[in-house]
Amino acid sequence: MSTLVDVENQAVLTREVLDAPSWRARRSAHEERVDVWVQPHLDRRRSREVHPVEDFLFTYYSQRPAALRRWHPGFGTVLEDAEEYVGLKGYVEVPTGSTTRNGSPTGVTVSREHVAAQAPLLRALHTLLTATASRPPQLGCFGMHEWAMVYRLDPSDVRPVGLRATEQGVGTTGRASPCRR
């Protein structure tokens, strides 16, 4: 089982230094993976179309497509020749021992202070994901999570695509469900 990185441990402050071609290749690979989901959403948004499931993921979870596309190297990884990361929240310039294309002997990395400031969130997420991974899946919900999100909502608050059942039907199904509540 993995643990959170101790940001005070000097040994983990720089685990890896990536030259520009290496980190740019990783960034491109990330963007290609994410674009499979992001680009269709952006296309639908431009044409004012809505997909009842895929677009819901962006609205319910409030994930901005640009934030999903932005690749981050992770704590302890230094990027050489990465001017586009200078000034981004949580990033600092650090010496690398080599000279980059622009003649600067620095790289960019996620700061220890930024990771330390995010520690409560990181601990909570780590606890949640560890617990989730250790339990058997619950696959018998039959979509009840979707019903629960709209049950007893005012019709004007329901997603633009609406429901495939009446409000009364949603209530009856939800109350009769053997799912844990």
Side-chain angles (χ1 to χ4, degrees):
M1 180 121 24
S2 69
T3 59
L4 290 174
V5 172
D6 178 7
V7 296
E8 299 303 322
N9 182 344
Q10 293 295 323
V12 298
L13 291 184
T14 302
R15 295 184 316 238
E16 183 175 28
V17 177
L18 296 175
D19 62 15
S22 298
W23 72 258
R24 286 191 172 109
R26 290 184 187 188
R27 181 181 66 185
S28 293
H30 166 79
E31 290 170 350
E32 288 173 19
R33 284 190 305 271
V34 171
D35 279 346
V36 169
W37 301 101
V38 169
Q39 199 56 53
H41 168 72
L42 293 174
D43 292 343
R44 283 189 302 274
R45 189 168 73 181
R46 273 190 290 281
S47 63
R48 300 190 190 283
E49 296 174 23
V50 177
H51 187 283
V53 175
E54 293 176 8
D55 294 334
F56 175 74
L57 297 173
F58 288 94
T59 56
Y60 181 76
Y61 295 105
S62 302
Q63 294 296 322
R64 294 185 332 268
L68 292 172
R69 286 192 89 242
R70 186 174 300 123
W71 175 78
H72 295 282
F75 180 69
T77 301
V78 177
L79 307 179
E80 291 184 330
D81 198 19
E83 291 81 14
E84 55 263 62
Y85 283 84
V86 174
L88 287 181
K89 181 179 179 180
Y91 284 85
V92 295
E93 291 185 270
V94 294
T96 63
S98 64
T99 303
T100 60
R101 181 176 42 150
N102 68 3
S104 169
T106 61
V108 179
T109 190
V110 176
S111 75
R112 177 180 11 190
E113 294 77 18
H114 181 69
V115 175
Q118 300 299 313
L121 173 62
L122 295 171
R123 278 191 205 95
L125 291 172
H126 185 265
T127 299
L128 174 66
L129 294 173
T130 300
T132 302
S134 70
R135 295 181 181 130
Q138 299 291 322
L139 304 174
C141 72
F142 306 110
M144 292 309 301
H145 59 283
E146 183 176 350
W147 299 124
M149 289 184 284
V150 297
Y151 181 54
R152 293 187 177 166
L153 279 182
D154 184 273
S156 64
D157 292 332
V158 176
R159 294 181 286 154
V161 293
L163 296 174
R164 294 172 289 189
T166 65
E167 182 180 343
Q168 181 181 5
V170 170
T172 301
T173 302
R175 287 187 298 274
S177 170
C179 292
R180 294 184 300 175
R181 296 183 189 129

